[in-house]
Amino acid sequence: MNSGVKPDQHASTSDGSDLPEMLSQKGAICLARRLQDYWHQRGYPAARFWAEPIDERIEKVGTYDLYRVASNLVNGLPPRYLSEP
């Protein structure tokens, strides 16, 4: 994942689109929204994704805060409503 891009900068994807760096708070929130939209569009409205800070500091990364995306996926799949079979 080391693209040489610092938090709050942008990195280009293979299709040429511009995405914020995913390790910053802004980038992690953006990724969480994209993931949640993906699962909601496929009929899983119970899927939830959110950004949370990583407490550990990584020596090579520097002093800025790092974030990760957490979710309620179970074994890689979103939970289903209790009323579903």
Side-chain angles (χ1 to χ4, degrees), residues 25-85:
Q25 182 180 22
K26 182 179 178 182
I29 290 171
C30 177
L31 179 58
R33 285 185 189 144
R34 290 180 65 208
L35 289 166
Q36 190 161 296
D37 289 345
Y38 172 87
W39 285 106
H40 287 189
Q41 290 172 3
R42 282 152 184 78
Y44 296 94
R48 297 287 179 259
F49 295 84
W50 60 92
E52 57 185 37
I54 298 173
D55 293 332
E56 302 86 30
R57 293 273 185 196
I58 300 172
E59 195 171 312
K60 288 185 177 183
V61 175
T63 59
Y64 49 84
D65 293 328
L66 299 177
Y67 286 80
R68 66 178 170 204
V69 174
S71 72
N72 66 344
L73 297 183
V74 178
N75 294 327
L77 295 172
R80 296 184 177 268
Y81 284 121
L82 295 176
S83 62
E84 290 184 14

